[in-house]
Amino acid sequence: MFVFLLRFITNGIDKNDTIKPPAEVRHRVLFISSYDPLYFTYDSQVKGLEKSLYPKGIEYDAVYMYSNARGEASIDLFYNFMKNRFSNSNIKKYEAILLGDDAALEFALKYQNELFPNLPMIFFGINNYDLAVEASKKANVAGLFENDYLEDTLRLAMSLFPERKTLIGLHDQSVTGKNDYEIFWALRSKYPDYSFVDLDTSLFSQNDLIFLLAELPKDSILFYMTCYSDKQSNVYSLLARTSTLVHSTSAPIFRNYVGGEGMGILGGVHMDVEEQCYKAGEMLTIVLNKGDISKLPLDECTESRTVFDYSLMKSFNLDFSILPKDTIFYNQPVSFISQYGKILPIIVMLFVTLVVILVYSKIGKTLSMTYISELKQSQQILLDSQEQLTYQAEYDEILDVLNRRTITTWLRENMKPKSVYSVIIIDIDDFKMLNENYGHSLADSILQYIVALLKGMVEDGGWKIARFGGDELLIVVPDEILDMDCQIVRQLFAAIRAPIPLGDESLAITASMGASCSDGVTPPEQHIINAETAMYEAKARGKNGIVIYDDKMKEKALEEIRIKEKLQSAFDNDGFFMLYQPQIDTQTKEVSGYEALVRMKEPGIYPGQFIPVAERSGWIWRIGRITTELVIKQLAAWRDQGKTLHPVSVNFSSNQLNDHGYVDFVEDLLNRYDIPPHYLEIEITEGLFLEKSVLADDIFRRFKNLGIRLLMDDFGTGYSSLGYLTYIPVDVIKLDKSLVDTYLVDGKDSFIRNIIHLMHDLDKNMIIEGVEEERQFLRLREFGADTIQGYFFSKPIPADEAIDFKVK
């Protein structure tokens, strides 16, 4: 099902730019592509192959592995497909195999004896040199190595921007991406005057990547290598990834691969993919004409193309003489006559001819119409109206599937408690973002596309499908008890996750699913409720997965009820207390402040349990007020004991925005306990920065007017960007532990240093969270970090210990 789905998607690809297939087919071969028809090199590969194969009477079929989308799972599915295909006597036989890119070659070598015995295999587009060399030594295997040209691109970039000394390499964990990383990093020793930094996009979400691009040092040059996957296993098209890069950074972008020309990429040197594939076709022709494949050496050199954007060269004020004389330019202005002069007479003639045709058509058009009798017309209108009303009552008009009421009625009438069946609810992840980014009309089209893919499975299996909500689908699967890894679930995910073609780009969709299976007791309507509960659990676990409803979920619901009861009791009976985590000045190793962290006195209930429940229940504002009062009281108690005071920060949730009296409450407490405002700091969670609101602006302004400093918490996770700093009056930035863990390592820590220096340039102090090792502390102190917070110095501790805390 998976591979056939891929072939269905490719039906819409425009082939007008290819030459005609051979009128007489003398040979038939199979082309195995590592990726898919939307991959950035695919069109060039096809052009090169067809130019060499079709004139020789050679026809090819293509199958796609999608190896960059789903890794090993995709390879396993592809193996099963190929095994079935080659064992089917009705499938046409092939005389040779063409292999595009590394994953296809690795697959073919692994299964050569099983799937392709005695078939000659020609490979191309191989980035791993060792793999290409080893493959060329195998019997019946020959091919071409893909030249990288990264160093050529890098040298051109250095020549054009001699003042920029930070080279950023963008890659992912695909086979090609790993090779890019190794080549990029190997160049570091040749250019010791430059700082090399790599960004692995498979470690970041899309929003994290946008943040990192926005924070690149001012002397950066960005090298756009193979980087199409992200942390959530989404795979982006060349168009989508290029758009992200171009709109997220002002650094010049260079590329050592084909693709992205004229879209904001400044330029680069890349191998001529079309030329290499033409050469691969010529190799294949030799072999099919009884040539000896063992005498074909590994082709290690395919000519390059230097491509630059004329308008960007101008905008950066660069010296054109540095570029080679054969450079190809995009976005180069041309005069109207030079562009259209040759075809202008033809256009004029066509226009005149069209006018004449329209005039005669108008004159010759007759107005003869046959009127239907009023009675027959009325009867037809009534019949049509009746059918339309019935359809509207039972179906969803946009998706052409059953609606919520109809599927519920059908389930109740056809599935009894003793019946065997499963109910699945599918919810498209982040559908609201699709509506916002693409508009409601296109979002509906995306839903229609997904439903069209699912309908094939529904009809084959005798299932029922309905629209259960805005972006929710409900499927009833009779005679099946599902589990999380069964064939039906894998088929559903394969259909939904397959990239959706949108013009020249593709869109990766994920979904969260919940399922409830019949148990001989539960009524059918309850299974719908259970499936929806399971779906929300799948969302809570990180989306893009399925959860089967079970007794543990019942227990979780009961546990939340228990925590609510304990929270209510804590509100009424002084059931909270505070711990304080010291913040240490990096230079003096003295305490410079504390973060206050709330705990419940009830044993066995931890913040990770009660804070989410309070958020969902709308009670977080109550906790916010209680913690603020406890902290101000503690500051007063320390003062009365003669202790030296330091600022204490309390957390402020986005849900506290609705507590309109909170700022007045804080001001009243400060006055009542006579605590200067600068000893209280407010840590604002990142969720509050997702959009600029009048309510948030007002609260920020009032805090500042009171003299209370604002801290931006969790900087570097999800949506953080320098853009927020242009309108949020923050004084202190807290760098999240995740960035410390990822970047405070050899070879990458310059990124942390640059962020610290950048924040200092913006007159912001920095607190680095999550510091757990001495080497981290020493490195951060060397980089000029202001303050350290983490277990290396101290965990959160009681107030009496915190006020007397000294670094050992």
Side-chain angles (χ1 to χ4, degrees), residues 698-735:
D698 181 62
I699 288 180
F700 297 154
R701 178 184 55 79
R702 294 184 65 193
F703 277 137
K704 295 295 287 184
N705 290 342
L706 280 177
I708 294 174
R709 294 207 310 171
L710 301 181
L711 284 64
M712 185 157 71
D713 196 14
D714 299 333
F715 187 74
T717 61
Y719 298 92
S720 294
S721 166
L722 287 178
Y724 297 125
L725 303 183
T726 63
Y727 66 85
I728 294 177
V730 294
D731 303 285
V732 180
I733 305 297
K734 299 191 74 175
L735 191 69

Side-chain angles (χ1 to χ4, degrees), residues 655-752:
N655 288 331
Q656 289 178 255
L657 282 176
N658 295 319
D659 183 6
H660 300 292
Y662 178 72
V663 179
D664 293 332
F665 172 77
V666 171
E667 184 177 14
D668 178 66
L669 286 173
L670 292 172
N671 291 333
R672 188 191 317 167
Y673 290 97
D674 194 23
I675 297 296
H678 65 270
Y679 286 119
L680 180 70
E681 298 178 333
I682 302 294
E683 288 197 23
I684 302 183
T685 56
E686 189 182 17
L688 198 53
F689 301 149
L690 295 182
E691 58 183 1
K692 182 177 170 67
S693 70
V694 175
L695 184 59
D697 282 351
D698 181 62
I699 288 180
F700 297 154
R701 178 184 55 79
R702 294 184 65 193
F703 277 137
K704 295 295 287 184
N705 290 342
L706 280 177
I708 294 174
R709 294 207 310 171
L710 301 181
L711 284 64
M712 185 157 71
D713 196 14
D714 299 333
F715 187 74
T717 61
Y719 298 92
S720 294
S721 166
L722 287 178
Y724 297 125
L725 303 183
T726 63
Y727 66 85
I728 294 177
V730 294
D731 303 285
V732 180
I733 305 297
K734 299 191 74 175
L735 191 69
D736 188 72
K737 182 180 185 299
S738 62
L739 260 70
V740 173
D741 292 341
T742 302
Y743 284 97
L744 200 59
V745 295
D746 290 342
K748 294 184 179 182
D749 54 8
S750 59
F751 183 71
I752 299 289

